[in-house]
Amino acid sequence: NLLTRLDSGIVAFQELQVDQYLDLKRALRDTNDFFPASKPKTKLVWQTVTWDKSQWSLVDSRVVTVPVIGTTRPNAMVRLRNKATGRDVWVLNVHNSSKNTPERQRERNQAVRIEVDNILAERKQKVPVVSQGDMNERKTVFCKVTGWTDLEAVTGGSNRRGRCRPPRNMRLDWIFASPELPVRSARFVRDARVA
């Protein structure tokens, strides 16, 4: 009901469980497509991406695997085409290691490098990217993503000429978007019903 009420064209989930995924697919089957689309594997379904079929169509998809808590975690990355404009966008939905230990920090560093490499590959092809998810970092991930790519955080902040200035209100969850996308801090709203 909330997804329908919000009229969201693209939604990325964090820690979605298989039973929740299956219920969402049943409830939204006429309106939405999903990645993963087939029988879900527990780890990948955690980072499910869904989109409104009337607005978007799937062009391509892949799994971006990163180190997490002594093992690996698959993250969803989908290329969607807007049916009204014909323009494509890649959506990367990630969940990096938690905990503030040297080992977990090393994993986060490796994960962000892998994620950024995937972002840069698509930006090199001139395709816009939205990277979102639970990064489990604040200033560190902001400065890396905005310093190594041209993506901007929807919550604001800047990173120009080596001066990284994160937004004041930082959380562990982030949305970064290519500058040509109409996703800006002026339009960003944190909805307590969703958070």
Side-chain angles (χ1 to χ4, degrees):
N1 290 340
L2 180 60
L3 290 180
T4 304
R5 221 171 33 248
L6 291 174
D7 193 29
S8 298
I10 302 170
V11 177
F13 293 94
Q14 292 295 306
E15 299 185 54
L16 190 66
Q17 301 301 302
V18 172
D19 59 335
Q20 295 168 322
Y21 169 86
L22 294 171
D23 284 344
L24 278 168
K25 279 192 81 161
R26 273 192 293 277
L28 298 171
R29 67 179 151 67
D30 294 333
T31 59
N32 284 52
D33 273 337
F34 290 77
F35 182 78
S38 59
K39 188 174 181 181
K41 294 181 180 175
T42 302
K43 284 186 177 183
L44 182 56
V45 80
W46 287 343
Q47 279 71 250
T48 293
V49 178
T50 184
W51 55 93
D52 182 333
K53 293 191 295 190
S54 70
Q55 298 177 45
W56 299 95
S57 59
L58 179 67
V59 176
D60 198 1
S61 63
R62 67 176 174 260
V63 174
V64 176
T65 303
V66 300
V68 174
I69 311 176
T71 184
T72 60
R73 177 177 288 156
N75 294 288
M77 189 165 184
V78 295
R79 182 172 180 164
L80 302 174
R81 180 162 297 146
N82 185 276
K83 291 183 176 182
T85 66
R87 294 198 59 200
D88 289 4
V89 63
W90 277 99
V91 178
L92 172 60
N93 186 26
V94 303
H95 191 168
N96 295 339
S97 282
S98 60
K99 298 187 180 171
N100 193 17
T101 67
E103 184 179 6
R104 299 292 91 92
Q105 185 60 56
R106 279 192 298 279
E107 288 176 346
R108 280 193 297 277
N109 293 344
Q110 291 172 346
V112 172
R113 185 75 256 177
I114 292 166
E115 293 153 11
V116 164
D117 287 348
N118 277 271
I119 292 165
L120 291 174
E122 301 313 327
R123 295 303 289 146
K124 189 174 182 179
Q125 301 299 317
K126 308 287 189 224
V127 181
V129 176
V130 174
S131 177
Q132 57 194 16
D134 185 351
M135 314 294 188
N136 274 307
E137 285 185 315
R138 292 179 174 86
K139 181 178 179 178
T140 302
V141 76
F142 173 87
C143 291
K144 286 178 181 177
V145 173
T146 60
W148 295 343
T149 74
D150 66 342
L151 273 59
E152 301 169 349
V154 300
T155 51
S158 65
N159 195 341
R160 292 181 184 84
R161 295 185 293 279
R163 288 198 59 141
C164 182
R165 295 182 174 155
R168 280 185 227 179
N169 185 8
M170 290 186 288
R171 305 236 176 145
L172 299 175
D173 295 287
W174 289 93
I175 302 172
F176 297 102
S178 297
E180 68 270 30
L181 294 173
V183 183
R184 295 288 180 271
S185 58
R187 297 179 63 198
F188 178 78
V189 177
R190 192 175 305 279
D191 192 325
R193 296 171 300 176
V194 181

